[in-house]
Amino acid sequence: MKGALDTLAAATRVVRGEGVASAASRARERLSESLRAMALRSRAAFVRPDPEREMPILNVSAMRLSARLGGVPVQLAARLRAERSLRNVALLHPGGLDLSAPSLHTRRGGGDLSSPRGFTDAVRNALAFTGSTAIHLEGMHGIPIASVLSLAETGVHVVLSLHDFSLFCARPHLFEMPAQRFCGYSRDPARCTACLCHDPQKDERDEKHNAEPGAGNDDRRALGARLLAAASGLIFPSRFLLEKHRALFSLPELSGAVVEPGPHDAVGTVRLADSRPGLAYAGSVKRHKGAHLLPEVIRGSVRNSSWHIHGGGDEDILRELRSIPGVTVHGHYRAGALPALLARDGIGLVVLPSIVPESYGLVISEAWRAGAAVAAFDLGAPAERIGRDGGGFLVPLESGAAGLADLVNRWSSGDVGDFRAATPASIPSASTAARATVNLYSEWKLMKAASGPAGAR
């Protein structure tokens, strides 16, 4: 009964915040994912394990690869789909063990990967079943650090893909509560404890923390430093995140590879118009993404501007945005659909006001695919990417909503350049990320050089 009431309450929030069409889209996608998961589990009864098919790498994700979740699950699903043409893939996640050979299917074996006992049992069982000798953790949020370290210290090769600051803080986005701001990589014990004690169940109901509420970060950081040193390989989505880990953990010689993730394959053809005066926000409508600044940015920008909001999130922010004249809240969108949606709406500039240091910024790549420039704060990997590749404009974080509104106005008047010349010609793809990752496995001597899995489908 409680589960049904929770589902109804969640649906009501979506309708109130994003609208009926978005709620219906979410429901269809949830049903589609459930049917696909059932089909993959059913297929396991007809697939016999083949000991001749090598699976040296066991990928592990604390989250299901749901397109509805966006972020890391979406980019991981796209990369692993491409990797299946290069190697046999085994992925352990809460829903089970996905195997690509001899045909794609799901076996039991997932469960609660956030608990030390559940994680260790599930990983060891999956290693025994697949014959894998290495695990690749696809992010550390929701994964018990001590359990991973224990595996590394007992001879299991461990590769880490780090997508946030999970080894540094139990709030991996470094969004300080109750202040609702970037903490500036705080190490102040009192400040950190106050933040972690601030009702995490209410503030981040969709996330699990790797520490008990109120626990400090010192033990986490000590374990994190040991794990970074013990790992067989480290992969970061940006040079920014690699350099920050070197600094935060006092490991200046830390060796890590940078593999830029690619967005999901675009759905449909992106047709670009010559004139694109529209403005947009895309992604999760959450406070750490700076979405609460949008009403002020929009009200401070040129009157009669056409604004489009793509993505779901906090109901109160979405309802306020829906009340502003000239703003269309589209809500949830399918993974891969964003470039076509931005092109359809005539978007020339996407405003991404994240107030915490993003590790990469996949929406930037999708905006560039749509021929749109990006406006962001001079912070994190987005600042690094725009500074390196162009394709956007930066304002100081301390300038806040007023700084972004001023940039929007200058862009609208043509004072900051022509959007048609702004976007870079080359954008990372899931296929290039897959090839780079498999090449690293070979370089680290965890598997033979990729020539494609025999008989893979």
Side-chain angles (χ1 to χ4, degrees):
M1 183 66 177
K2 183 179 183 301
L5 291 175
D6 288 344
T7 300
L8 179 61
T12 301
R13 287 194 298 270
V14 171
V15 170
R16 287 163 61 92
E18 303 174 37
V20 175
S22 180
S25 174
R26 285 179 178 273
R28 287 193 299 269
E29 199 154 310
R30 182 185 293 273
L31 177 60
S32 175
E33 288 179 359
S34 297
L35 292 174
R36 183 175 185 275
M38 289 173 59
L40 291 176
R41 289 195 298 268
S42 299
R43 191 181 295 176
F46 304 97
V47 177
R48 292 184 177 181
D50 185 350
E52 297 300 317
R53 295 179 185 271
E54 295 182 351
M55 290 190 172
I57 310 295
L58 173 66
N59 297 78
V60 182
S61 172
M63 294 188 288
R64 298 171 187 262
L65 301 193
S66 168
R68 292 178 295 105
L69 299 177
V72 174
V74 166
Q75 59 182 264
L76 175 58
R79 197 198 84 216
L80 291 183
R81 186 180 299 113
E83 282 188 33
R84 291 203 293 266
S85 67
L86 303 173
R87 67 180 181 100
N88 295 321
V89 174
L91 171 68
L92 180 67
H93 57 90
L97 177 63
D98 290 352
L99 301 172
S100 68
S103 62
L104 187 61
H105 63 286
T106 300
R107 294 183 177 274
R108 293 183 179 180
D112 184 9
L113 300 181
S114 65
S115 74
R117 177 70 180 272
F119 174 85
T120 300
D121 288 349
V123 169
R124 290 205 176 277
N125 289 337
L127 288 173
F129 184 84
T130 59
S132 303
T133 56
I135 62 172
H136 182 171
L137 276 299
E138 303 285 357
M140 284 300 298
H141 184 49
I143 296 291
I145 301 172
S147 299
V148 180
L149 183 60
S150 177
L151 288 172
E153 291 176 341
T154 55
V156 177
H157 295 290
V158 172
V159 174
L160 303 180
S161 279
L162 297 170
H163 301 284
D164 52 32
F165 295 95
S166 290
L167 297 182
F168 182 75
C169 182
R171 291 191 188 270
H173 301 306
L174 306 183
F175 187 59
E176 185 177 2
M177 298 298 296
Q180 299 192 43
R181 65 187 177 194
F182 169 41
C183 74
Y185 311 104
S186 173
R187 294 179 181 272
D188 182 338
R191 186 175 166 189
C192 291
T193 299
C195 174
L196 295 177
C197 282
H198 187 81
D199 196 4
Q201 284 75 29
K202 177 181 178 182
D203 294 327
E204 299 183 18
R205 60 172 60 89
D206 295 327
E207 294 190 290
K208 292 182 179 179
H209 296 303
N210 299 349
E212 292 298 319
N217 276 319
D218 288 347
D219 289 345
R220 165 185 294 274
R221 291 164 186 169
L223 287 171
R226 288 172 58 191
L227 182 56
L228 288 170
S232 298
L234 300 172
I235 300 176
F236 298 86
S238 61
R239 174 64 54 179
F240 158 78
L241 198 61
L242 169 57
E243 295 297 343
K244 274 300 174 185
H245 276 74
R246 285 173 172 166
L248 292 173
F249 290 94
S250 301
L251 296 170
E253 302 301 320
L254 183 68
S255 178
V258 175
V259 176
E260 296 192 44
H264 192 283
D265 292 337
V267 177
T269 302
V270 177
R271 295 183 174 87
L272 304 180
D274 290 335
S275 176
R276 280 173 280 152
L279 297 147
Y281 171 88
S284 181
V285 184
K286 297 280 189 178
R287 282 169 169 76
H288 70 276
K289 296 286 190 179
H292 61 295
L293 301 178
L294 285 173
E296 185 179 346
V297 173
I298 293 171
R299 292 186 176 108
S301 61
V302 177
R303 289 187 178 183
N304 301 320
S305 295
S306 173
W307 281 85
H308 297 262
I309 311 299
H310 290 283
D314 291 341
E315 179 191 341
D316 60 331
I317 300 175
L318 287 162
R319 292 185 69 187
E320 183 177 1
L321 289 168
R322 286 162 67 91
S323 72
I324 302 174
V327 175
T328 302
V329 174
H330 300 278
H332 171 73
Y333 57 87
R334 290 182 58 200
L338 183 59
L341 294 173
L342 296 175
R344 178 201 68 187
D345 297 334
I347 303 302
L349 183 69
V350 179
V351 178
L352 301 175
S354 181
I355 59 173
V356 296
E358 299 277 353
S359 62
Y360 185 69
L362 203 63
V363 171
I364 294 176
S365 299
E366 295 182 296
W368 287 345
R369 276 192 176 182
V374 174
F377 288 122
D378 191 0
L379 179 70
E384 177 185 76
R385 296 184 67 194
I386 291 170
R388 180 193 67 194
D389 300 330
F393 314 100
L394 301 170
V395 299
L397 177 62
E398 56 271 20
S399 70
L404 286 171
D406 178 64
L407 174 59
V408 167
N409 289 331
R410 288 188 290 120
W411 176 84
S412 298
S413 64
D415 290 345
V416 292
D418 187 337
F419 70 84
R420 286 169 293 188
T423 57
S426 178
I427 302 169
S429 69
S431 296
T432 56
R435 172 62 68 177
T437 301
V438 172
N439 286 344
L440 286 172
Y441 293 153
S442 301
E443 179 183 326
W444 294 329
K445 303 190 185 312
L446 302 178
M447 63 173 285
K448 298 175 184 177
S451 58
R457 286 178 280 174

